[in-house]
Amino acid sequence: MEGAEPDAALGTVYLVGSGPGDPELLTVKARRLLEEADHVLHDKLPGPRIIDLLPEDRSEDVGKRAHGDRTPQSEINERLVELAREGKDVVRLKGGDSFVFGRGGEEAHHLASHGIPFEVVPAVTSAIAAPGVAGIPVTHRDHASTVSIVTGHEDPTKAESAVNWEALAETGGTIVVLMGVTRLPQYTSALHEAGMAADTPVALVERATWPNQQVATGTIETIADVRDEVGIEPPAVTVIGDVAGTRESVVEFLQNDYGNPAETTAQEPG
Ligand code: SAH
């Protein structure tokens, strides 16, 4: 027999993406696995509507601990191994896609190194879905032939920043920033300093496909103020580039309505 034969007594871990939050955007496979799983480990990112669907008696929130700080990744890794060793089939449910900034790669590595069989169940990532439901295509024949998905979590002024904002400013494609609400002023300044035009359009899409989705628009110069004015908070995706400006021409007819039909885009200052 070829390859490693999983131990029959072990359960399987399914690294499942939930999509951005609308339960209708769960994959058919994710839904089936959630029904069949012996145990579900999740955090808050799948959003309230999907969390409401989870089987209460078999679900465990590993996002925040009682005193409010984040559960260390090592604890989640260990819990997955522990459950699989009890023979349980486990769904590790993650917002968006499980392998886009979700630490899914680390979980896969941990499982493999402990001999636990696992399956990756891809999903709709917020990096593409959040701009999409706001009426923004991440690529467009006339506006962007590349799209970069980056983390905004790091301090762009640090020399060892893993994101090369200067290079991104030069590509002329679309930049989608995840985890980028807090450091928005820092990386928009970094892009501007690297030569990106001050009037480059930017959109913020908060809680995309959740009942209280918000969209706010501006430019790399104004968006930090717009963020404060509108009150954009995580989770939100930042879309930078000419594609963000195309929204204006379609939004009147855009029927993606996630419970808050009011257009929340703030007036640009000035
Ligand atoms: N694996 C996820 C990303 C995890 S990192 C995915 O593929 O979407 C967490 C970041 O994802 C958040 O800070 C935010 O930038 C983004 N995000 C996830 N779900 C979102 C949603 N429904 N609306 C807006 N941003 C979202």
Side-chain angles (χ1 to χ4, degrees), residues 10-266:
L10 292 173
T12 300
V13 175
Y14 297 87
L15 301 174
V16 181
S18 69
D22 178 349
E24 286 195 292
L25 295 176
L26 276 166
T27 63
V28 174
K29 187 161 185 171
R31 270 210 104 117
R32 174 174 64 77
L33 289 170
L34 285 172
E35 274 162 29
E36 293 175 357
D38 297 313
H39 206 84
V40 179
L41 290 191
H42 67 94
D43 46 50
K44 293 282 190 286
L45 199 57
R49 292 182 66 202
I50 289 175
I51 290 170
D52 272 357
L53 293 177
L54 301 179
E56 234 171 89
D57 52 331
R58 292 178 282 129
S59 298
E60 185 177 334
D61 185 345
V62 291
K64 295 253 158 63
R65 292 193 294 197
H67 37 285
D69 50 31
R70 198 180 280 269
T71 309
Q73 185 63 43
S74 56
E75 249 175 58
I76 299 173
N77 292 348
E78 278 157 32
R79 184 82 180 115
L80 289 171
V81 170
E82 180 183 61
L83 287 161
R85 284 186 176 153
E86 288 170 13
K88 293 193 168 122
D89 287 332
V90 184
V91 166
R92 169 67 175 119
L93 189 69
K94 291 167 164 294
D97 181 88
S98 46
F99 272 11
V100 178
F101 291 125
R103 307 193 71 170
E106 289 162 64
E107 290 172 9
H109 179 81
H110 188 82
L111 293 166
S113 67
H114 286 74
I116 307 292
F118 70 96
E119 187 171 334
V120 180
V121 182
V124 177
T125 177
S126 69
I128 294 170
V133 296
I136 301 166
V138 291
T139 66
H140 189 297
R141 268 182 87 87
D142 301 332
H143 300 286
S145 299
T146 65
V147 51
S148 307
I149 300 171
V150 305
T151 172
H153 195 60
E154 295 183 19
D155 183 351
T157 60
K158 276 202 181 142
E160 67 272 24
S161 168
V163 180
N164 187 340
W165 295 98
E166 244 171 74
L168 288 171
E170 280 168 22
T171 66
T174 303
I175 306 167
V176 177
V177 189
L178 301 193
M179 299 172 283
V181 175
T182 310
R183 294 197 191 276
L184 179 68
Q186 285 94 322
Y187 62 81
T188 46
S189 301
L191 288 168
H192 189 33
E193 276 161 31
M196 185 179 273
D199 61 355
T200 303
V202 184
L204 294 168
V205 188
E206 176 190 334
R207 292 172 296 197
T209 83
W210 295 21
N212 41 10
Q213 170 179 307
Q214 291 205 96
V215 182
T217 56
T219 65
I220 60 163
E221 204 170 40
T222 65
I223 197 69
D225 290 334
V226 172
R227 172 198 68 180
D228 298 341
E229 215 175 300
V230 175
I232 297 287
E233 285 176 11
V237 159
T238 312
V239 195
I240 304 169
D242 288 345
V243 289
T246 66
R247 170 170 203 266
E248 219 174 298
S249 62
V250 300
V251 74
E252 189 187 343
F253 292 97
L254 182 70
Q255 300 295 301
N256 293 77
D257 171 6
Y258 286 99
N260 183 7
E263 179 60 33
T264 50
T265 301

